[in-house]
Amino acid sequence: MFSGSGAARFLTYLFINREPFSPAMGEEIFRDMEPFRIKMVEPIHLPSREDRERFLEEAGLNVFLIRGENILIDLLTDSGTGAMSDRQWAGLMMGDETYAGSRNFYNLEAAVRDILGFEYVLPCHQGRGAENVLHTALIKAGDVVPGNTHFDTTKAHIEHKKGRAIDCTIDEAADPYLDLPFKGNLDLKKLEDVYKQYGREKIPFTVVTATCNSGGGQPVSLENMRKVAELSGRYGIPVCLDGARFAENCYFIKKREKGMENMPIKDIARETAACFDMMTMSSKKDAIVNIGGFIATGSREIYDSVKNFGILFEGFVTYGGLAGRDLEAMARGLYEGIDEDYLTYRIGHVRYLGEKLRNMGMPVLWPPGGHAIYLDMKEFLPNIPQDQFPGMAFCAHLYLESGVRGVEIGTLLNGRDPDTGMNRPAKLELVRLTIPRRVYTHRHLDYVAKAVKKVWDMRDSIRGLELTEEPPVLRHFTARFKWVE
Ligand SMILES: *Cc1c(COP(=O)(O)O)cnc(C)c1O
């Protein structure tokens, strides 16, 4: 729909979008601003152009390998990068470092029961720790795990257990400009086809990622989750929520789903969790902590099958690789993550950057995601083939021009086909500008928008990249490159 010129995109924008900061919406202006004040600051610094060139060269052109102190504004990830509140910091001082039975564990357990309704909670050091424990207990070689655009660590853990992830996202999600409210939804027909083909025997569970990180931070509707639960129930297949951003997903449900506008976020969280047999959580996202995660389930049987692997990989069942103080920060953060004033600001803040970039004619995946803005590299750098990693080339130039760090969500991240060894060209070739929680102001985002525009203006001179070093799993973290001649 917006594949035309920047001017056409801008005009379309004017006609179909409300301006969220128009003065007629006084209440909205208040609600979109930061619902906190700042009592501690951390200086940031822009290295000289010369130094940025050197840092990038030393990093093998992979911005992942640049030291954090040499980044001005870091939009690599929203994972563990949020600013904790004074209440959370105070909670750190209340850490009970008892090996077994720390009081902070019981506070976490109570928070999960209260917000999500899951009876059993197994803390893990982060989301992939939870995946490792759960997948080890449930997946055997040859199994398939259907879902909606599995997150990279989820897919890697499934493949590590010699299973296979099958993507059942709705086709519409592949159109980066189709303005739909729930582009994270699963296609029930695709899902049922997988159920029919493989059956309960080969499907240990289905995973629903909400919001869907690798699909552009797009939400999943409550209606869709209920239908997935109903269908899976008929086939006897358990369903797992990958709930790293469940709170942001709840906010989208409240704003976009018919009949949900008056339901408190906490109730929507309960309704969401009720669709699932279990959940893996990276608390580094919506629980706004720097480290932490958990598995939660209402099923004693599932809990019993995972807890021994929890002890083996993560630590005793009441700490899971975390200090007592971390558990306390997580228990408190879970409540802050579902606060509606916070979520209004959070989702509005991300949208602010998206609208700014779109107003300047940039190809922005639409609608904006919950935690990030995604730039469409197929439009941004159409002359760079996918196996020359246009997203990585963009990130390298964004850093050179501005000290801002983004991250490729495309063919590099997608990895290679385990059967053929070929690059898997990503359906959506994206760069993600991920917004940490409560860290950067709107003014920082203005700078980011200008930086992206600068790269846009020089896009014709940007070359592709060639791999010089490639690790076998999760290659995007440590791969190295040179410019294509
Ligand atoms: C971050 C993330 C994970 C993995 O969690 P970590 O805490 O980074 O190990 C899993 N799923 C989704 C959707 C995520 O965003």
Side-chain angles (χ1 to χ4, degrees):
M1 179 163 41
F2 299 108
S3 49
S5 69
R9 204 177 285 132
F10 178 63
L11 281 177
T12 317
Y13 169 82
L14 282 185
F15 282 113
I16 67 171
N17 282 75
R18 286 185 301 120
E19 179 51 68
F21 293 103
S22 90
M25 302 167 68
E27 185 72 5
E28 287 301 312
I29 288 176
F30 163 70
R31 292 178 60 82
D32 267 20
M33 79 180 187
E34 290 83 352
F36 52 80
R37 53 186 180 173
I38 296 164
K39 72 168 129 198
M40 189 185 285
V41 296
E42 179 185 359
I44 53 175
H45 160 73
L46 178 66
S48 69
R49 170 86 196 196
E50 211 174 45
D51 283 345
R52 298 199 300 273
E53 282 173 9
R54 185 162 52 84
F55 297 142
L56 187 67
E57 205 57 48
E58 287 167 1
L61 307 182
N62 183 352
V63 291
F64 241 114
L65 300 176
I66 297 176
R67 289 184 187 209
E69 65 191 5
N70 296 326
I71 304 287
L72 178 66
I73 294 180
D74 202 350
L75 307 184
L76 182 73
T77 177
D78 64 328
S79 181
T81 54
M84 292 206 296
S85 67
D86 52 356
R87 257 197 107 248
Q88 286 176 294
W89 278 101
L92 291 184
M93 299 304 291
M94 305 296 286
D96 166 6
E97 307 305 340
T98 310
Y99 190 96
S102 157
R103 98 178 137 245
N104 310 118
F105 165 75
Y106 295 103
N107 291 345
L108 172 66
E109 186 185 59
V112 173
R113 283 178 181 166
D114 180 35
I115 295 167
L116 295 153
F118 289 122
E119 181 69 14
Y120 303 100
V121 183
L122 187 72
C124 296
H125 79 281
Q126 62 183 86
R128 75 199 65 185
E131 289 170 345
N132 185 33
V133 169
L134 186 83
H135 294 190
T136 303
L138 301 183
I139 301 177
K140 52 187 193 325
D143 280 354
V144 301
V145 179
N148 53 338
T149 321
H150 306 64
F151 183 63
D152 56 350
T153 63
T154 316
K155 193 194 269 176
H157 272 293
I158 294 168
E159 290 173 357
H160 184 66
K161 297 284 166 278
K162 306 265 183 295
R164 178 148 312 205
I166 300 184
D167 189 7
C168 296
T169 314
I170 54 169
D171 288 335
E172 292 89 329
D175 179 342
Y177 305 107
L178 196 58
D179 195 349
L180 289 179
F182 293 104
K183 283 169 96 173
N185 278 358
L186 285 87
D187 183 324
L188 293 151
K189 165 90 174 52
K190 284 187 199 172
L191 188 61
E192 185 158 19
D193 287 348
V194 175
Y195 287 179
K196 281 184 181 149
Q197 188 182 343
Y198 294 93
R200 168 73 184 102
E201 277 303 290
K202 289 219 164 297
I203 308 178
F205 59 90
T206 290
V207 59
V208 176
T209 307
T211 60
C212 188
N213 187 356
S214 302
Q218 300 293 319
V220 182
S221 74
L222 188 57
E223 184 192 19
N224 190 252
M225 292 188 278
R226 284 176 173 155
K227 285 185 172 158
V228 168
E230 190 272 326
L231 176 69
S232 307
R234 270 197 281 124
Y235 284 82
I237 292 166
V239 194
C240 178
L241 172 64
D242 180 351
R245 298 181 188 78
F246 78 94
E248 290 169 6
N249 199 73
C250 289
Y251 183 80
F252 282 119
I253 287 173
K254 184 174 173 104
K255 291 293 158 181
R256 295 182 182 174
E257 194 158 346
K258 225 182 280 150
M260 302 302 295
E261 57 277 9
N262 294 321
M263 195 183 274
I265 295 291
K266 196 169 150 191
D267 294 3
I268 301 175
R270 275 289 190 116
E271 293 293 317
T272 297
C275 300
F276 296 92
D277 301 278
M278 57 203 159
M279 166 179 184
T280 53
M281 177 71 183
S282 168
S283 300
K284 300 170 72 171
K285 323 303 176 26
D286 274 357
I288 326 180
V289 286
N290 304 121
I291 193 72
F294 57 82
I295 296 170
T297 177
S299 154
R300 175 84 214 198
E301 199 187 325
I302 291 173
Y303 177 74
D304 283 343
S305 72
V306 297
K307 77 174 180 206
N308 293 317
F309 291 110
I311 295 169
L312 182 64
F313 296 142
E314 299 285 301
F316 187 63
V317 295
T318 60
Y319 77 85
L322 297 165
R325 56 180 175 269
D326 298 325
L327 299 170
E328 188 61 36
M330 199 191 325
R332 296 177 181 212
L334 277 170
Y335 283 100
E336 295 180 13
I338 61 166
D339 178 81
E340 198 167 327
D341 281 348
Y342 157 73
L343 283 168
T344 304
Y345 144 75
R346 165 72 178 158
I347 303 297
H349 192 230
V350 173
R351 192 179 174 93
Y352 173 81
L353 177 62
E355 292 188 336
K356 239 192 149 69
L357 291 170
R358 202 154 100 131
N359 280 346
M360 293 160 129
M362 308 287 128
V364 177
L365 186 133
W366 213 254
H371 65 296
I373 291 304
Y374 295 72
L375 295 164
D376 177 7
M377 288 299 123
K378 285 183 181 168
E379 282 223 27
F380 209 109
L381 296 171
N383 299 326
I384 302 182
Q386 283 185 278
D387 60 4
Q388 290 179 12
F389 312 111
M392 293 305 287
F394 170 88
C395 288
H397 281 280
L398 184 65
Y399 176 72
L400 280 181
E401 294 307 316
S402 68
V404 174
R405 173 156 69 177
V407 62
E408 191 244 28
I409 305 283
T411 301
L412 183 71
L413 177 69
N414 227 21
R416 291 179 184 270
D417 187 298
D419 292 333
T420 66
M422 302 294 286
N423 277 315
R424 290 186 278 215
K427 269 190 219 155
L428 295 176
E429 192 69 48
L430 305 171
V431 162
R432 188 181 74 189
L433 303 174
T434 337
I435 317 293
R437 293 168 180 77
R438 308 191 289 208
V439 170
Y440 294 116
T441 65
H442 290 83
R443 192 84 174 106
H444 289 117
L445 298 187
D446 291 342
Y447 176 87
V448 171
K450 278 187 217 158
V452 174
K453 176 70 161 55
K454 207 161 172 207
V455 181
W456 174 255
D457 290 339
M458 56 185 279
R459 65 191 182 281
D460 291 338
S461 68
I462 296 179
R463 282 176 292 157
L465 295 178
E466 194 180 314
L467 281 159
T468 56
E469 262 176 54
E470 181 180 5
V473 287
L474 298 176
R475 61 179 179 171
H476 53 290
F477 288 118
T478 52
R480 300 177 72 87
F481 301 87
K482 61 178 188 191
W483 295 109
V484 170
E485 291 308 322

